[in-house]
Amino acid sequence: MKINPNYKLRTIAGEHIIVNQGGSHADMTRIISLNPSACMLWQALEGREFTTSEAAGLLVEKYGIANEQALTDAAHWIERLQAVGAIVQ
């Protein structure tokens, strides 16, 4: 899977958000805000193919959490972003 290249990470007023720039206009009623962990994953994985295990490995490396928790967290991050089209197969 990979991050949809139409979505771009922006920082506005100290908040990390992703914006779909693939359409003719931006739908500002659907702002997707990322917490620091989600932002770190986005920045590390943008522009390349990745797996859930690779995303989990980044969480383990950065935060020192257990692999099982990292896999759960990474899967949740992926599911949420797939639901809005920001991560594609």
Side-chain angles (χ1 to χ4, degrees), residues 36-79:
S37 298
C39 183
M40 181 275 297
L41 289 174
W42 184 282
Q43 290 172 323
L45 299 170
E46 188 173 24
R48 67 180 184 93
E49 296 278 335
F50 63 91
T51 65
T52 303
S53 293
E54 289 172 309
L58 291 169
L59 292 172
V60 169
E61 182 180 314
K62 174 79 174 175
Y63 299 105
I65 62 176
N67 193 55
E68 298 78 25
Q69 183 63 53
L71 283 168
T72 299
D73 294 348
H76 183 70
W77 177 76
I78 290 165
E79 289 168 13

Side-chain angles (χ1 to χ4, degrees), residues 16-28:
H16 303 291
I17 63 169
I18 53 175
V19 179
N20 183 352
Q21 295 183 322
S24 59
H25 65 284
D27 181 1
M28 295 309 286

Side-chain angles (χ1 to χ4, degrees), residues 4-22:
N4 184 335
N6 290 335
Y7 284 78
K8 302 297 178 195
L9 178 65
R10 300 287 183 245
T11 302
I12 299 175
E15 294 291 321
H16 303 291
I17 63 169
I18 53 175
V19 179
N20 183 352
Q21 295 183 322

